[in-house]
Amino acid sequence: MSLHLEHLNPEQLAAVTLPDEHALILAGAGSGKTRVLTTRIAWLIKGGRVSPAGILAVTFTNKAAREMLTRLTAMLPVNPRGMWMGTFHGLANRMLRAHHREARLPQSFQILDSQDQLAALKRLMKASGVDEDRFPPREVQWFINAQKEEGLRPGEVPLTDENVRRFVELYAAYDEQCQREGVVDFPELLLRSFELLSRNEILREHYAQRFSHILVDEFQDTNRLQYRWLKLFSSRHTSYFCVGDDDQSIYTFRGANVGNMADFERDFKVKHVVRLEQNYRSHGNILDAANALIANNRNRLGKNLWTAAGAGEPLRVFEGESDNDEARWLVEEVQALARDGTPLSHIAVLYRSNAQSRVVEHALFSQGIPYRVYGGLRFFERAEVKHALAYLRLLAFPDDDNAFLRVANFPPRGIGARTIEQLQDAAKQAGASLMKVADGSKALVFKKLIEELKSETANLPLPEVVEHVVARSGLIEHYKTEREGADRIQNLEELVNAAAAFTQEERETESGEAVDPLTAFLTHAALEAGEHQAGEGQEALQMMTVHSAKGLEFDAVFLTGLEEGLFPHEQSVNERDGLEEERRLAYVAITRARRRLYLSHAQTRMLHGQTRYNVASRFLEEIPNGLMKWLTPRFSRQRLVPDFSRSKDAFMMKRKEEGIGFRIGQNVTHPKFGTGVIVDAEGSGTEARVQVNFGAAGVKWLALAVAKLQAA
């Protein structure tokens, strides 16, 4: 089978055919990085440089891993499924399953998703008498996960103050609880795998010798622990091929460390840095705008996107008097695009904050334009599905207390809060699980149900196990009584379909590791819970945050709310690398557009119940004016707002020595506070003063007689 090397551009070909040395591939937006990654793997295998078993390929989503496997299967004469390919968490789980004894875990350990982890923490804190007002469970959860992602166990966390000391104590107690119950959360998967390889030199050497080629996708999104985990596989025979784009690093809030790219180049003395700069998505004006914007970031590895597709249309810029005005304009433009033949699903509205969507949604609804807010609850996160999975988890691992607590009284069977408290007290005293001490009359009924389900499904295929449990648990009958239970029942039926599809996929991708099918399916469900499941339905406009838009592309993109304090976000100015990450976020938004890009902002916006007076985003000023077509006159505030100095009861806002008049709503600059907008005023003559919103610098009252204020 052909690898189609002739279809690669010179830079792509250079990357694919690099020698067996460490390489960093700077892959710009729309530059074909997935093609390069898959063709590189195929080239290595087909050329006899490595067998599939010698490859470790790390992606950030299971969807990306499946796409790469599909492409490789079409390119290779051999089955590529022997390689280790998947997400960090998926690969760590695979390793821990294979070496569960060395990792001090039961073979059938269960994975806690974010909600289960929070429930486990709440249970622990309640049992320990912790004041949840002082130590909110979500903050404790965030603290624990942050420490794990830094590779720190409780005894390694610096005790900077009394609050941190208490958080560390809860972290230690939570670790003990998880170990006792044989469960792991998502950050624990990678940390436990890292610790396993770190302390077991024989095992580490085994994998270092096995994997001669390690390929990493979306390298800019790796956190510190993920990078340290990758480094453990290093040997003199190992070649790393890391693909990423530092200009698209937008997940610091998730722990991503863009500095890993520069660290990799230094740590491994990388000789080959290949820049993929030819873009196959967007027209030239869009790329030129993105390049000009991101050039304002100082800490870049550097690249410049270009296209052979021509300049295309200019960027259209709109300034509304209000957010309602912005939304009305947006709807009119969407209707015009639809009339010209652009499908609604090829149009996206992007915003920095979810709070911005309401006004746009209202305008779309009013005009009867169908829209879909990208995101929402994923399949495996829906309540009814999680209930069914909890029953299945109890079949595979009866000591799973989180699963017990979720469904012991769901559907209701008379097990109240008092009964649960008594069970928890008994379990704590006995050092046992809730299931082991569930011998009371009501709890015993539930315990016997689980035992019967386990016995009845012992020899059934996985799909029939799921179908039987869903039916016998009482969930179907329960939801039949609900007003909107039909959708929930359909989701439960779809869970059976998911089990059947999983069984078929496992049959085709047999890894050779002996894992019980139910345990494997539960692991699959936990790993898939964080991924978006594309919804089906009518043609609809796409609405989403810029973060959610990463990896997507559309014919037309509306980037709304380009105002100081909103985008860039007001908190970013005071954070290390905050403004640069906001600029990277804007860069990601711009490069989602294929043919047409709209940029908009509003003079006033309702946020959190208050009218906010806005200054246009600095990002608009960083895009060359020659690339933009202004749909409203620039700096139109001076034209749109009333001139109060001409009304009989107004004040004169005037610097006598310069003869400059100021008006509410006008843009101004100050040598200390920067650019702002006048939002209020009082007094007259030498007593006149104005209130100015300087965005990140705050709202200030300034006396005109002494303030060094200039019209913007």
Side-chain angles (χ1 to χ4, degrees):
M1 297 184 182
S2 172
L3 300 182
H4 299 295
L5 297 181
E6 68 275 9
H7 295 161
L8 302 176
N9 67 39
E11 291 73 28
Q12 290 174 334
L13 181 62
V16 166
T17 58
L18 281 171
D20 296 350
E21 295 180 4
H22 307 310
L24 178 61
I25 314 301
L26 295 179
S31 64
K33 70 176 178 65
T34 303
R35 171 187 283 190
V36 167
L37 267 168
T38 51
T39 310
R40 169 70 172 177
I41 294 172
W43 182 79
L44 289 170
I45 295 174
K46 193 171 183 180
R49 292 172 176 268
V50 64
S51 70
I55 286 180
L56 176 69
V58 189
T59 65
F60 262 79
T61 66
N62 291 316
K63 179 182 177 183
R66 287 192 295 268
E67 181 184 349
M68 288 177 64
L69 265 178
T70 300
R71 292 193 189 190
L72 283 167
T73 302
M75 297 169 72
L76 288 171
V78 297
N79 191 335
R81 298 184 185 277
M83 71 181 68
W84 279 42
M85 176 180 285
T87 64
F88 280 100
H89 293 114
L91 292 169
N93 168 71
R94 181 172 178 175
M95 183 174 292
L96 293 175
R97 297 285 179 192
H99 307 286
H100 63 92
R101 291 187 184 87
E102 293 89 341
R104 297 193 286 272
L105 286 169
Q107 184 177 10
S108 58
F109 68 83
Q110 297 298 300
I111 301 172
L112 302 179
D113 63 17
S114 181
Q115 291 181 18
D116 288 334
Q117 182 191 26
L118 185 62
L121 279 168
K122 287 181 176 178
R123 173 161 50 88
L124 169 71
M125 294 171 68
K126 184 176 182 181
S128 304
V130 177
D131 183 355
E132 292 192 5
D133 291 333
R134 185 177 176 189
F135 298 99
R138 287 194 181 277
E139 287 189 19
V140 177
Q141 180 184 33
W142 179 88
F143 176 85
I144 290 173
N145 291 347
Q147 305 314 310
K148 289 188 177 186
E149 287 169 358
E150 290 291 328
L152 300 176
R153 287 296 183 191
E156 301 167 324
V157 180
L159 302 178
T160 54
D161 57 43
E162 184 59 26
N163 269 6
V164 171
R165 186 189 66 78
R166 191 69 179 109
F167 275 120
V168 169
E169 288 176 352
L170 290 169
Y171 179 10
Y174 169 73
D175 258 5
E176 292 173 5
Q177 175 176 288
C178 289
Q179 186 65 33
R180 184 173 64 251
E181 297 176 3
V183 297
V184 297
D185 53 44
F186 265 70
E188 180 71 19
L189 283 170
L190 197 66
L191 178 55
R192 186 73 67 109
S193 175
F194 173 79
E195 291 172 339
L196 172 65
L197 292 173
S198 297
R199 68 170 180 265
N200 193 322
E201 183 61 27
I202 294 175
L203 203 58
R204 192 201 71 77
E205 184 64 22
H206 163 74
Y207 283 109
Q209 291 298 319
R210 172 174 178 166
F211 300 130
S212 58
H213 285 270
I214 296 175
L215 301 96
V216 188
D217 191 14
E218 303 285 8
F219 192 64
Q220 78 279 352
D221 292 334
T222 54
N223 62 34
R224 287 181 175 84
L225 180 59
Q226 288 166 340
Y227 180 46
R228 291 171 65 193
W229 184 81
L230 287 168
K231 289 169 69 176
L232 287 174
F233 299 103
S234 176
S235 75
R236 62 189 182 90
H237 306 291
T238 310
S239 298
Y240 286 80
F241 188 88
C242 297
V243 182
D245 183 1
D246 57 324
D247 290 333
Q248 295 189 76
S249 179
I250 59 173
Y251 296 122
T252 297
F253 68 96
R254 293 182 187 168
N257 178 31
V258 67
N260 285 346
M261 299 187 76
D263 289 347
F264 169 68
E265 188 177 1
R266 182 185 63 252
D267 294 346
F268 287 85
K269 300 180 174 57
V270 175
K271 296 178 182 177
H272 297 110
V273 177
V274 180
R275 288 170 169 80
L276 304 181
E277 298 174 302
Q278 184 173 0
N279 177 283
Y280 294 92
R281 175 188 300 156
S282 308
H283 284 156
N285 284 336
I286 294 171
L287 297 180
D288 289 346
N291 288 331
L293 176 76
I294 204 65
N296 291 278
N297 276 6
R298 296 163 300 181
N299 302 316
R300 299 176 63 223
L301 296 173
K303 65 183 177 312
N304 208 56
L305 297 177
W306 65 277
T307 181
E313 301 177 17
L315 283 62
R316 290 164 169 80
V317 187
F318 177 82
E319 177 189 55
E321 293 185 52
S322 67
D323 48 358
N324 285 313
D325 188 29
E326 180 189 40
R328 283 192 294 269
W329 161 80
L330 186 153
V331 168
E332 290 170 1
E333 290 291 340
V334 168
Q335 290 171 322
L337 286 168
R339 285 195 299 271
D340 291 342
T342 303
L344 286 177
S345 60
H346 293 190
I347 306 172
V349 177
L350 308 184
Y351 35 83
R352 176 64 180 85
S353 167
N354 274 310
Q356 293 170 245
S357 73
R358 183 191 62 81
V359 173
V360 178
E361 288 188 59
H362 180 72
L364 291 168
F365 178 79
S366 298
Q367 293 299 313
I369 299 175
Y371 66 90
R372 182 176 297 110
V373 178
Y374 187 90
L377 284 177
R378 294 116 168 110
F379 178 76
F380 286 112
E381 293 177 339
R382 294 170 187 166
E384 62 276 12
V385 174
K386 288 180 71 68
H387 288 325
L389 290 173
Y391 278 100
L392 293 167
R393 280 164 54 184
L394 288 171
L395 264 62
F397 196 68
D399 294 329
D400 187 332
D401 284 354
N402 278 318
F404 184 101
L405 290 171
R406 183 177 191 93
V407 293
N409 197 43
F410 195 90
R413 51 178 58 90
I415 302 176
R418 179 61 183 154
T419 301
I420 293 295
E421 286 180 13
Q422 290 171 344
L423 284 174
Q424 288 175 319
D425 290 340
K428 187 175 182 181
Q429 289 177 4
S433 68
L434 294 172
M435 187 68 78
K436 281 192 171 67
V437 299
D439 295 319
S441 57
K442 293 176 182 177
L444 184 58
V445 172
F446 177 69
K447 182 176 183 177
K448 286 183 176 179
L449 171 63
I450 299 301
E451 291 172 347
E452 289 170 3
L453 288 174
K454 188 174 181 66
S455 174
E456 292 163 359
T457 59
N459 299 310
L460 294 179
L462 176 63
E464 293 181 29
V465 171
V466 176
E467 185 175 26
H468 185 80
V469 169
V470 165
R472 278 272 278 124
S473 64
L475 291 172
I476 296 287
E477 292 302 316
H478 173 80
Y479 287 123
K480 282 181 179 178
T481 65
E482 287 194 354
R483 181 179 176 183
E484 298 180 2
D487 289 340
R488 296 185 184 275
I489 292 172
Q490 287 178 5
N491 284 333
L492 290 172
E493 292 169 348
E494 185 59 30
L495 184 63
V496 180
N497 296 337
F502 174 78
T503 301
Q504 180 63 29
E505 185 175 338
E506 282 294 285
R507 190 176 296 122
E508 296 173 353
T509 62
E510 186 61 47
S511 64
E513 286 146 12
V515 178
D516 170 68
L518 179 55
T519 297
F521 178 63
L522 291 170
T523 297
H524 164 77
L527 293 173
E528 285 281 313
E531 288 201 24
H532 175 72
Q533 306 285 332
E536 296 181 3
Q538 67 182 126
E539 183 77 10
L541 177 75
Q542 305 297 302
M543 294 183 60
M544 67 198 73
T545 64
V546 181
H547 279 104
S548 297
K550 175 82 161 48
L552 304 176
E553 57 185 75
F554 305 91
D555 284 344
V557 169
F558 291 81
L559 179 53
T560 64
L562 280 167
E563 297 137 26
E564 285 294 305
L566 190 55
F567 200 4
H569 196 275
E570 56 193 355
Q571 294 178 355
S572 68
V573 178
N574 299 319
E575 296 176 353
R576 181 177 177 271
D577 191 43
L579 183 58
E580 295 213 344
E581 175 144 343
E582 288 290 298
R583 193 174 281 112
R584 293 195 294 268
L585 196 56
Y587 175 87
V588 166
I590 290 171
T591 54
R592 299 309 95 197
R594 288 192 283 254
R595 295 189 300 104
R596 186 173 286 189
L597 177 63
Y598 298 85
L599 309 174
S600 65
H601 62 106
Q603 296 176 24
T604 63
R605 183 177 302 277
M606 287 293 293
L607 279 178
H608 311 301
Q610 295 183 330
T611 299
R612 174 172 174 163
Y613 294 85
N614 306 305
V615 178
S617 171
R618 70 189 74 191
F619 297 155
L620 284 171
E621 296 300 316
E622 293 173 356
I623 297 174
N625 195 46
L627 300 174
M628 299 189 286
K629 176 182 179 181
W630 289 79
L631 304 180
T632 47
R634 292 191 72 180
F635 307 123
S636 58
R637 290 182 177 87
Q638 296 184 28
R639 180 179 58 82
L640 294 171
V641 299
D643 184 348
F644 288 100
S645 65
R646 295 182 181 177
S647 61
K648 61 180 182 180
D649 57 348
F651 50 82
M652 282 295 293
M653 295 185 292
K654 193 167 184 175
R655 294 258 302 278
K656 292 184 178 180
E657 67 275 18
E658 296 176 358
I660 299 174
F662 293 99
R663 293 177 293 277
I664 292 176
Q666 183 177 353
N667 277 344
V668 291
T669 61
H670 187 275
K672 179 179 179 182
F673 304 124
T675 304
V677 60
I678 297 174
V679 297
D680 200 357
E682 65 183 23
S684 60
T686 58
E687 301 298 321
R689 65 178 192 150
V690 292
Q691 188 183 42
V692 184
N693 183 350
F694 288 105
V699 179
K700 315 286 184 183
W701 277 102
L702 302 174
L704 282 179
V706 295
K708 297 178 180 179
L709 214 55
Q710 301 282 342

